[in-house]
């Protein structure tokens, strides 16, 4: 893994851990972001972590760009020695797969899709070697996912599947983006799943929808009173398939302020995960079942 440092104009330094996403790259990026924060370098205004990189915004009148770059580089060895372990949350997220709203939307935009003859799930199942959409759905929700980044639009989480590399689901984005995506759509692009936090344009394949509000700028949702964005990097997600009746029930409870997601506090150790992925995932999901 070779780190790449570049400038973004006069006020940004961009640090890329790797060209492809991996949990090793994520943890190094997280450690370096924390190291930059702890270093209190004069002029640093903002630190923005991403999937396998981060960006530092700074005031060049306080610290010159070359000096800022050098001070950040000096923190890399410290980040490499940091423990790849964190205390985090595992969250159960209900998903109504093959719902009528995303299906209606995807049918409106078939001319922008790789395979206009079927649904997004049909296409995803076929290119990943599954016999049908139901088998693909099973693969999507059977193992937990790791939130590696929150952003692009406010509150949108990018989720990376906690399985061996050769078992990763891979689905390309639409050939041309849609101009419409329902709020809280569960989507997929590349190796990332996501939840669209707001209604709007999008290019990810659409698999279903969750009744769980994940972004509330008014902070009226019962479990978003403290902060308008639900997810944070390092969270772990377990999708829970639900039907229309359960979707309607949860949605009403969310709107009434009487529903909250199931959450358990867990320890995630990257070395332990790499040594025994199935065992680690089983312990994570057991913690959620005990919550």
């Amino acid at each position: 893994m070779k780190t790449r440092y570049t400038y973004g104009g006069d006020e940004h330094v961009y640090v890329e851990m790797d060209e492809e996403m991996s949990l090793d790259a994520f943890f190094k990026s997280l450690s370096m972001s924390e190291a930059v924060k702890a270093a209190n370098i004069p002029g640093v205004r903002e630190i923005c972590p991403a999937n396998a990189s981060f960006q530092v915004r700074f005031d060049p009148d306080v610290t010159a760009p070359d000096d800022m770059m050098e001070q950040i580089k000096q923190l890399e060895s410290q980040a490499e020695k940091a423990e790849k372990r964190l205390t985090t949350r595992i969250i159960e997220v209900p998903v109504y797969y093959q719902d009528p709203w995303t299906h209606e939307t995807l049918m409106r935009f078939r001319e922008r899709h790789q395979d206009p003859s079927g649904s997004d799930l049909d296409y995803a199942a076929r290119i990943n070697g599954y016999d049908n959409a139901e088998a693909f759905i099973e693969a999507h929700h059977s193992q937990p996912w790791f939130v590696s980044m929150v952003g692009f639009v406010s509150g949108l989480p990018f989720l990376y599947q906690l399985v061996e590399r050769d078992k990763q689901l891979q689905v390309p984005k639409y050939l041309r983006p849609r101009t419409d995506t329902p709020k809280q759509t569960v989507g997929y692009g590349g190796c990332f799943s996501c939840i669209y936090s707001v209604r709007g344009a999008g290019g990810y394949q659409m698999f279903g929808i969750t009744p769980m509000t994940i972004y509330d700028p008014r902070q009226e949702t019962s479990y978003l009173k403290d902060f308008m964005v639900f997810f944070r990097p390092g969270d772990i997600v377990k999708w829970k398939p639900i039907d229309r009746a359960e979707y309607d029930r949860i949605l009403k409870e969310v709107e009434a302020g009487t529903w909250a997601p199931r959450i358990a506090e867990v320890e995630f150790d990257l070395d332990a995960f790499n040594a025994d992925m199935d065992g680690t995932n089983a312990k994570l999901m057991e913690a959620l079942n005990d919550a």
Side-chain angles (χ1 to χ4, degrees):
M1 189 185 304
K2 185 176 181 181
T3 307
R4 182 167 68 95
Y5 295 84
T6 54
Y7 291 109
D10 295 331
E11 298 182 354
H12 297 86
V13 170
Y14 175 68
V15 186
E16 183 181 62
M17 306 303 148
D18 204 336
E19 291 183 351
E20 62 182 27
M21 171 60 192
S22 70
L23 291 176
D24 288 286
F26 167 82
F27 270 89
K28 185 176 178 182
S29 174
L30 180 65
S31 296
M32 281 200 71
S33 298
E34 293 296 325
V36 173
K37 182 179 178 180
N40 290 317
I41 303 171
V44 170
R45 295 288 179 261
E46 191 174 6
I47 304 168
C48 301
N51 296 311
S53 62
F54 69 96
Q55 185 166 271
V56 177
R57 176 173 171 261
F58 65 97
D59 185 344
D61 292 329
V62 176
T63 299
D66 288 348
D67 292 338
M68 180 62 67
M69 177 81 80
E70 187 58 36
Q71 290 190 61
I72 293 173
K73 284 183 176 181
Q74 290 175 5
L75 298 170
E76 184 170 356
S77 60
Q78 177 182 334
E80 288 174 339
K81 297 174 184 176
E83 282 192 339
K84 297 177 181 179
R85 179 185 303 171
L86 54 81
T87 300
T88 187
R89 311 179 292 176
I90 182 166
I91 304 142
E92 184 178 82
V93 177
V95 184
Y96 179 17
Y97 290 98
Q98 296 179 302
D99 67 283
W101 306 287
T102 60
H103 183 76
E104 184 277 332
T105 303
L106 68 87
M107 293 307 293
R108 279 193 281 126
F109 292 96
R110 291 330 280 165
E111 81 282 357
R112 305 184 183 211
H113 196 272
Q114 292 88 345
D115 184 3
S117 65
S119 71
D120 292 3
L121 272 167
D122 293 334
Y123 172 70
R126 178 171 58 79
I127 67 170
N128 281 275
Y130 292 93
D131 292 336
N132 49 50
E134 288 72 21
F136 181 87
I137 290 170
E138 173 71 23
H140 186 262
H141 73 72
S142 61
Q143 298 296 335
W145 295 70
F146 192 92
V147 177
S148 57
M149 172 182 165
V150 179
F152 187 70
V153 297
S154 298
L156 185 151
F158 288 81
L159 303 107
Y160 182 78
Q161 195 175 26
L162 293 176
V163 295
E164 295 90 343
R165 174 75 61 160
D166 61 358
K167 293 181 180 178
Q168 287 279 342
L169 302 173
Q170 301 282 341
V171 188
K173 295 187 289 185
Y174 275 44
L175 296 175
R176 289 186 293 129
R178 301 176 302 274
T179 56
D180 189 24
T181 307
K183 178 183 177 182
Q184 291 161 207
T185 289
V186 174
Y188 210 109
C191 68
F192 292 105
S193 203
C194 79
I195 304 173
Y196 283 79
S197 53
V198 297
R199 182 178 182 179
Y204 277 25
Q205 309 286 336
M206 296 183 290
F207 295 165
I209 199 164
T210 176
M212 175 181 167
T213 298
I214 64 168
Y215 171 63
D216 179 6
R218 295 183 179 180
Q219 295 178 249
E220 296 172 344
T221 306
S222 60
Y223 51 89
L224 295 176
K225 297 292 187 182
D226 294 332
F227 191 53
M228 67 182 71
V229 172
F230 179 79
F231 288 106
R232 50 184 183 252
D235 280 342
I236 297 170
V237 166
K238 176 64 176 69
W239 308 112
K240 179 191 176 184
I242 59 173
D243 59 17
R244 175 63 186 268
E246 191 169 3
Y247 174 89
D248 290 341
R249 177 186 63 80
I250 294 174
L251 187 62
K252 287 181 180 179
E253 291 181 8
V254 170
E255 293 171 346
T258 58
W259 187 87
R262 292 179 63 199
I263 300 173
E265 183 177 287
V266 293
E267 297 290 325
F268 184 83
D269 186 311
L270 181 58
D271 291 334
F273 171 75
N274 286 332
D276 182 8
M277 294 186 185
D278 291 339
T280 299
N281 287 348
K283 289 180 181 178
L284 290 171
M285 291 186 285
E286 183 180 349
L288 185 57
N289 291 334
D290 293 340

